[in-house]
């Protein structure tokens, strides 16, 4: 799925959540817990709106940059004074 499809899917589910919260309003009344649920749902809606504005338009179409690795052997000077992991220096014996 592309980013746009994911955001649209989340928006649909959030709309369903908002409808369910509205239906809970009548039986639960204006209790502290219900106000928290309404506030949390509104916060999610606001956060999703901000995400949709800041999301890159072409995030789903991002291309991977290819890096060419030469077949020639590496310069041995790159490894001078390097220690083999787990074996230590070449001048000492392995454990």
């Amino acid at each position: 799925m592309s980013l746009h499809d994911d955001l649209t899917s989340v928006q649909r589910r959030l709309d369903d959540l908002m409808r369910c919260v509205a239906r809970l309003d009548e039986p639960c009344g204006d209790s502290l817990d219900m106000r928290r649920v309404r506030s949390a749902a509104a916060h999610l809606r606001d956060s999703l709106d901000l995400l949709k504005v800041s999301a890159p338009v072409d995030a789903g179409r991002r291309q991977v940059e290819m890096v060419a690795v030469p077949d020639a052997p590496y310069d041995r000077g790159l490894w001078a004074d390097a220690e083999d992991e787990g074996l230590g220096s070449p001048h000492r014996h392995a454990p």
Side-chain angles (χ1 to χ4, degrees), residues 14-46:
L14 188 55
D15 291 342
D16 291 341
L17 175 68
M18 297 303 284
R19 281 190 288 276
C20 292
V21 168
R23 278 184 292 207
L24 284 175
D25 256 344
E26 187 177 320
C28 293
D30 195 32
S31 66
L32 176 63
D33 294 330
M34 194 60 217
R35 281 183 278 171
R36 284 183 182 154
V37 169
R38 276 195 310 265
S39 174
H43 184 74
L44 277 173
R45 184 184 56 223
D46 295 342

Side-chain angles (χ1 to χ4, degrees), residues 41-85:
H43 184 74
L44 277 173
R45 184 184 56 223
D46 295 342
S47 296
L48 183 62
D49 289 341
L50 289 172
L51 180 62
K52 286 176 10 183
V53 169
S54 68
V57 176
D58 61 347
R61 292 177 248 140
R62 183 175 46 178
Q63 292 187 6
V64 177
E65 181 182 341
M66 299 295 285
V67 177
V69 178
D71 289 333
Y74 287 107
D75 178 15
R76 290 186 107 12
L78 291 174
W79 310 112
D81 297 329
E83 296 181 1
D84 290 331
E85 184 176 333

